Amino acid sequence: MEISTQTQRFTNPLYLESGRIIEPYELIYETYGELNEQKSNVVVITHALSGSHHAAGFYEGDKKPGWWDSLIGEGKSVDTSRYFVICVNVIGSCFGSTGPMSPMYPSLNPYRFRFPVVTIRDMVRAQKILFGMLGIDRVKAIIGGSMGGMQALVFAVDYPNFAEHIIPMATTHATRPAVIAANKIMSEAIRSDPAFREGHYDPRKIQEEGCAGLSVARMVGFMHYLSPRAMEQKFGRNYVQNDGLYELFGRFEVERYLEYNGYNFPKYFDPLSYLYIIKAISIFDLSFGFDSLVEALERVKSHLHLISFSGDRMFFPEEMEEIEQAMREAGKGHLCSLYEVESDYGHDSFLVEVEKYGDYVREILS
């Protein structure tokens, strides 16, 4: 599978929902497979909070592939021998697209807190501009889970003639209070960490020495990504063998799991980017600017294939059911389907249990 990673620089301003602009800005993106002459075989992949443009395949020397490698590749559900797959790192992230630690032109100093709040719509608008520069006016499909699913839904409403099929997974049309509350806890954990230095940290020092607040935030996130049943099956009440049961800081296996993932996170993800992205997730509302969700969905012309997961405790299956119901009320029922995957794993099922829905995605694309 051929992998191509490129960066596009834009000198025209990106106008944001807030009324502010980002100028200039860059987007890094990755492609897999070959674009046909008609440019009719494009599949767009939109990533989640901690994802990046590297959705599949291996970089030289890597031990792990891209984050959705089980879905994307030659002979896989999104078959790169048939489709030209493109994944763009969103504005505000920390993997190469313009974000809070990017230089604030004309200075070489980073934006930090001067970076404007970006929304899911802003992320999508930037991607659409990129696709226009690449001469891609219509795509076969857009596929994304969690925050990627939010982006997919925005594409459906804001650019109704752009995609033939849109496949949002494990997502919502408007972020609910429980997720907003968790995002608030994560934000406070980061901001209260002395290593964060009120946003004026040295990113190299964070990578080398860590940021306990960001680590704790990641642990809070994992409480949503795994369902209680998945934690029970994965860890039970097993105790770390080398830790004493009556030691104050002795650990259960589930605690060690959270520590491992939490304290590794600052090695590759930026604290300010995390704050900006969870803000975008918290304020997401597909019906914003419309009188109702039904009115927003009246714009949809793509085939909308909703995939939910029964064990998801971040974006519950009924949130996808609300979208399906609103599509019917909008007179778009013939364009919408809902497929609920039976899963105990939790929110991250869309990443780790591809075998449960991969054939369905393959069928849609075929």
Side-chain angles (χ1 to χ4, degrees), residues 5-10 25-30 53 95-98 130:
T5 307
Q6 300 181 55
T7 299
Q8 180 66 52
R9 182 176 175 84
F10 300 86
Y25 64 99
E26 294 183 345
L27 291 176
I28 187 169
Y29 64 98
E30 197 158 283
H53 53 287
F95 294 108
S97 293
T98 296
L130 170 65

PDB file of all heavy atoms in Angstrom, residues 5-10 25-30 53 95-98 130:
ATOM      1  N   THR A   5       2.488  11.302   2.495  1.00  0.00           N
ATOM      2  CA  THR A   5       2.190  12.307   3.520  1.00  0.00           C
ATOM      3  C   THR A   5       2.639  13.676   3.005  1.00  0.00           C
ATOM      4  O   THR A   5       3.792  13.845   2.616  1.00  0.00           O
ATOM      5  CB  THR A   5       2.914  11.980   4.835  1.00  0.00           C
ATOM      6  OG1 THR A   5       2.609  10.643   5.223  1.00  0.00           O
ATOM      7  CG2 THR A   5       2.479  12.935   5.934  1.00  0.00           C
ATOM      8  N   GLN A   6       1.704  14.634   3.005  1.00  0.00           N
ATOM      9  CA  GLN A   6       2.003  15.948   2.455  1.00  0.00           C
ATOM     10  C   GLN A   6       1.436  17.048   3.350  1.00  0.00           C
ATOM     11  O   GLN A   6       0.491  16.823   4.112  1.00  0.00           O
ATOM     12  CB  GLN A   6       1.402  16.079   1.053  1.00  0.00           C
ATOM     13  CG  GLN A   6       1.934  15.052   0.059  1.00  0.00           C
ATOM     14  CD  GLN A   6       1.337  15.221  -1.319  1.00  0.00           C
ATOM     15  OE1 GLN A   6       1.411  16.300  -1.911  1.00  0.00           O
ATOM     16  NE2 GLN A   6       0.735  14.161  -1.838  1.00  0.00           N
ATOM     17  N   THR A   7       2.013  18.238   3.227  1.00  0.00           N
ATOM     18  CA  THR A   7       1.526  19.409   3.946  1.00  0.00           C
ATOM     19  C   THR A   7       1.167  20.491   2.939  1.00  0.00           C
ATOM     20  O   THR A   7       1.938  20.777   2.024  1.00  0.00           O
ATOM     21  CB  THR A   7       2.592  19.939   4.920  1.00  0.00           C
ATOM     22  OG1 THR A   7       2.895  18.933   5.892  1.00  0.00           O
ATOM     23  CG2 THR A   7       2.086  21.183   5.646  1.00  0.00           C
ATOM     24  N   GLN A   8      -0.012  21.074   3.109  1.00  0.00           N
ATOM     25  CA  GLN A   8      -0.464  22.169   2.240  1.00  0.00           C
ATOM     26  C   GLN A   8      -0.543  23.448   3.053  1.00  0.00           C
ATOM     27  O   GLN A   8      -1.168  23.485   4.117  1.00  0.00           O
ATOM     28  CB  GLN A   8      -1.839  21.839   1.645  1.00  0.00           C
ATOM     29  CG  GLN A   8      -2.393  22.917   0.741  1.00  0.00           C
ATOM     30  CD  GLN A   8      -1.565  23.099  -0.521  1.00  0.00           C
ATOM     31  OE1 GLN A   8      -1.294  22.139  -1.242  1.00  0.00           O
ATOM     32  NE2 GLN A   8      -1.146  24.328  -0.797  1.00  0.00           N
ATOM     33  N   ARG A   9       0.068  24.495   2.561  1.00  0.00           N
ATOM     34  CA  ARG A   9       0.043  25.803   3.223  1.00  0.00           C
ATOM     35  C   ARG A   9      -0.970  26.700   2.521  1.00  0.00           C
ATOM     36  O   ARG A   9      -1.017  26.749   1.283  1.00  0.00           O
ATOM     37  CB  ARG A   9       1.426  26.450   3.194  1.00  0.00           C
ATOM     38  CG  ARG A   9       1.495  27.800   3.908  1.00  0.00           C
ATOM     39  CD  ARG A   9       2.916  28.317   3.912  1.00  0.00           C
ATOM     40  NE  ARG A   9       3.024  29.663   4.473  1.00  0.00           N
ATOM     41  CZ  ARG A   9       3.121  29.924   5.771  1.00  0.00           C
ATOM     42  NH1 ARG A   9       3.134  28.930   6.644  1.00  0.00           N
ATOM     43  NH2 ARG A   9       3.223  31.178   6.214  1.00  0.00           N
ATOM     44  N   PHE A  10      -1.772  27.401   3.312  1.00  0.00           N
ATOM     45  CA  PHE A  10      -2.786  28.303   2.778  1.00  0.00           C
ATOM     46  C   PHE A  10      -2.466  29.723   3.232  1.00  0.00           C
ATOM     47  O   PHE A  10      -2.251  29.976   4.419  1.00  0.00           O
ATOM     48  CB  PHE A  10      -4.177  27.913   3.294  1.00  0.00           C
ATOM     49  CG  PHE A  10      -4.605  26.524   2.921  1.00  0.00           C
ATOM     50  CD1 PHE A  10      -4.233  25.439   3.708  1.00  0.00           C
ATOM     51  CD2 PHE A  10      -5.360  26.288   1.788  1.00  0.00           C
ATOM     52  CE1 PHE A  10      -4.619  24.156   3.375  1.00  0.00           C
ATOM     53  CE2 PHE A  10      -5.749  25.004   1.438  1.00  0.00           C
ATOM     54  CZ  PHE A  10      -5.374  23.934   2.233  1.00  0.00           C
ATOM     55  N   TYR A  25      -2.260  29.279   7.425  1.00  0.00           N
ATOM     56  CA  TYR A  25      -2.397  28.026   8.161  1.00  0.00           C
ATOM     57  C   TYR A  25      -1.963  26.859   7.271  1.00  0.00           C
ATOM     58  O   TYR A  25      -1.849  27.001   6.041  1.00  0.00           O
ATOM     59  CB  TYR A  25      -3.830  27.816   8.658  1.00  0.00           C
ATOM     60  CG  TYR A  25      -4.868  27.675   7.566  1.00  0.00           C
ATOM     61  CD1 TYR A  25      -5.329  26.419   7.158  1.00  0.00           C
ATOM     62  CD2 TYR A  25      -5.423  28.796   6.953  1.00  0.00           C
ATOM     63  CE1 TYR A  25      -6.286  26.295   6.171  1.00  0.00           C
ATOM     64  CE2 TYR A  25      -6.387  28.675   5.969  1.00  0.00           C
ATOM     65  CZ  TYR A  25      -6.821  27.421   5.582  1.00  0.00           C
ATOM     66  OH  TYR A  25      -7.768  27.298   4.606  1.00  0.00           O
ATOM     67  N   GLU A  26      -1.693  25.736   7.929  1.00  0.00           N
ATOM     68  CA  GLU A  26      -1.243  24.541   7.211  1.00  0.00           C
ATOM     69  C   GLU A  26      -2.092  23.337   7.614  1.00  0.00           C
ATOM     70  O   GLU A  26      -2.568  23.250   8.749  1.00  0.00           O
ATOM     71  CB  GLU A  26       0.225  24.243   7.519  1.00  0.00           C
ATOM     72  CG  GLU A  26       1.193  25.294   6.993  1.00  0.00           C
ATOM     73  CD  GLU A  26       2.646  24.929   7.261  1.00  0.00           C
ATOM     74  OE1 GLU A  26       2.890  24.025   8.095  1.00  0.00           O
ATOM     75  OE2 GLU A  26       3.533  25.542   6.632  1.00  0.00           O
ATOM     76  N   LEU A  27      -2.264  22.416   6.678  1.00  0.00           N
ATOM     77  CA  LEU A  27      -2.916  21.137   6.933  1.00  0.00           C
ATOM     78  C   LEU A  27      -1.991  20.019   6.458  1.00  0.00           C
ATOM     79  O   LEU A  27      -1.480  20.068   5.335  1.00  0.00           O
ATOM     80  CB  LEU A  27      -4.251  21.032   6.187  1.00  0.00           C
ATOM     81  CG  LEU A  27      -5.389  21.936   6.659  1.00  0.00           C
ATOM     82  CD1 LEU A  27      -6.598  21.773   5.740  1.00  0.00           C
ATOM     83  CD2 LEU A  27      -5.782  21.629   8.098  1.00  0.00           C
ATOM     84  N   ILE A  28      -1.770  19.041   7.316  1.00  0.00           N
ATOM     85  CA  ILE A  28      -1.015  17.865   6.925  1.00  0.00           C
ATOM     86  C   ILE A  28      -2.004  16.739   6.661  1.00  0.00           C
ATOM     87  O   ILE A  28      -2.993  16.594   7.388  1.00  0.00           O
ATOM     88  CB  ILE A  28       0.025  17.475   7.999  1.00  0.00           C
ATOM     89  CG1 ILE A  28       0.920  16.346   7.494  1.00  0.00           C
ATOM     90  CG2 ILE A  28      -0.625  17.126   9.319  1.00  0.00           C
ATOM     91  CD1 ILE A  28       2.130  16.082   8.380  1.00  0.00           C
ATOM     92  N   TYR A  29      -1.769  15.986   5.616  1.00  0.00           N
ATOM     93  CA  TYR A  29      -2.698  14.921   5.261  1.00  0.00           C
ATOM     94  C   TYR A  29      -1.933  13.728   4.696  1.00  0.00           C
ATOM     95  O   TYR A  29      -0.789  13.845   4.252  1.00  0.00           O
ATOM     96  CB  TYR A  29      -3.746  15.415   4.264  1.00  0.00           C
ATOM     97  CG  TYR A  29      -3.217  15.843   2.914  1.00  0.00           C
ATOM     98  CD1 TYR A  29      -3.258  14.985   1.806  1.00  0.00           C
ATOM     99  CD2 TYR A  29      -2.696  17.124   2.721  1.00  0.00           C
ATOM    100  CE1 TYR A  29      -2.785  15.389   0.564  1.00  0.00           C
ATOM    101  CE2 TYR A  29      -2.214  17.532   1.489  1.00  0.00           C
ATOM    102  CZ  TYR A  29      -2.266  16.666   0.412  1.00  0.00           C
ATOM    103  OH  TYR A  29      -1.785  17.058  -0.822  1.00  0.00           O
ATOM    104  N   GLU A  30      -2.612  12.593   4.721  1.00  0.00           N
ATOM    105  CA  GLU A  30      -2.000  11.356   4.242  1.00  0.00           C
ATOM    106  C   GLU A  30      -2.955  10.672   3.277  1.00  0.00           C
ATOM    107  O   GLU A  30      -4.172  10.676   3.481  1.00  0.00           O
ATOM    108  CB  GLU A  30      -1.694  10.447   5.431  1.00  0.00           C
ATOM    109  CG  GLU A  30      -0.709   9.330   5.127  1.00  0.00           C
ATOM    110  CD  GLU A  30      -0.041   8.817   6.396  1.00  0.00           C
ATOM    111  OE1 GLU A  30       0.859   9.504   6.907  1.00  0.00           O
ATOM    112  OE2 GLU A  30      -0.442   7.738   6.873  1.00  0.00           O
ATOM    113  N   HIS A  53      -3.528  12.283  10.984  1.00  0.00           N
ATOM    114  CA  HIS A  53      -3.644  11.948   9.567  1.00  0.00           C
ATOM    115  C   HIS A  53      -3.128  10.546   9.271  1.00  0.00           C
ATOM    116  O   HIS A  53      -3.443   9.983   8.229  1.00  0.00           O
ATOM    117  CB  HIS A  53      -2.841  12.958   8.745  1.00  0.00           C
ATOM    118  CG  HIS A  53      -1.417  13.085   9.212  1.00  0.00           C
ATOM    119  ND1 HIS A  53      -1.085  13.733  10.387  1.00  0.00           N
ATOM    120  CD2 HIS A  53      -0.248  12.626   8.696  1.00  0.00           C
ATOM    121  CE1 HIS A  53       0.224  13.676  10.563  1.00  0.00           C
ATOM    122  NE2 HIS A  53       0.757  13.007   9.556  1.00  0.00           N
ATOM    123  N   PHE A  95      -0.221  17.368  15.286  1.00  0.00           N
ATOM    124  CA  PHE A  95       0.548  16.419  14.470  1.00  0.00           C
ATOM    125  C   PHE A  95       0.977  17.012  13.130  1.00  0.00           C
ATOM    126  O   PHE A  95       1.321  16.276  12.216  1.00  0.00           O
ATOM    127  CB  PHE A  95      -0.244  15.135  14.252  1.00  0.00           C
ATOM    128  CG  PHE A  95      -0.473  14.354  15.518  1.00  0.00           C
ATOM    129  CD1 PHE A  95      -1.717  14.290  16.110  1.00  0.00           C
ATOM    130  CD2 PHE A  95       0.587  13.692  16.132  1.00  0.00           C
ATOM    131  CE1 PHE A  95      -1.926  13.575  17.284  1.00  0.00           C
ATOM    132  CE2 PHE A  95       0.392  12.979  17.304  1.00  0.00           C
ATOM    133  CZ  PHE A  95      -0.870  12.919  17.884  1.00  0.00           C
ATOM    134  N   GLY A  96       0.929  18.332  13.006  1.00  0.00           N
ATOM    135  CA  GLY A  96       1.430  18.952  11.783  1.00  0.00           C
ATOM    136  C   GLY A  96       0.529  20.017  11.201  1.00  0.00           C
ATOM    137  O   GLY A  96       0.996  20.901  10.485  1.00  0.00           O
ATOM    138  N   SER A  97      -0.777  19.946  11.473  1.00  0.00           N
ATOM    139  CA  SER A  97      -1.667  21.034  11.067  1.00  0.00           C
ATOM    140  C   SER A  97      -1.525  22.190  12.052  1.00  0.00           C
ATOM    141  O   SER A  97      -1.059  22.017  13.180  1.00  0.00           O
ATOM    142  CB  SER A  97      -3.115  20.546  11.017  1.00  0.00           C
ATOM    143  OG  SER A  97      -3.292  19.601   9.978  1.00  0.00           O
ATOM    144  N   THR A  98      -1.940  23.366  11.633  1.00  0.00           N
ATOM    145  CA  THR A  98      -1.806  24.548  12.483  1.00  0.00           C
ATOM    146  C   THR A  98      -2.619  24.391  13.763  1.00  0.00           C
ATOM    147  O   THR A  98      -3.797  24.036  13.736  1.00  0.00           O
ATOM    148  CB  THR A  98      -2.256  25.805  11.723  1.00  0.00           C
ATOM    149  OG1 THR A  98      -1.367  26.007  10.612  1.00  0.00           O
ATOM    150  CG2 THR A  98      -2.224  27.038  12.618  1.00  0.00           C
ATOM    151  N   LEU A 130      -9.095  22.344   1.372  1.00  0.00           N
ATOM    152  CA  LEU A 130      -8.001  21.513   0.892  1.00  0.00           C
ATOM    153  C   LEU A 130      -8.452  20.629  -0.265  1.00  0.00           C
ATOM    154  O   LEU A 130      -7.769  20.543  -1.302  1.00  0.00           O
ATOM    155  CB  LEU A 130      -7.466  20.639   2.029  1.00  0.00           C
ATOM    156  CG  LEU A 130      -6.467  19.550   1.625  1.00  0.00           C
ATOM    157  CD1 LEU A 130      -5.174  20.163   1.075  1.00  0.00           C
ATOM    158  CD2 LEU A 130      -6.166  18.628   2.807  1.00  0.00           C
TER     159      LEU A 130
END
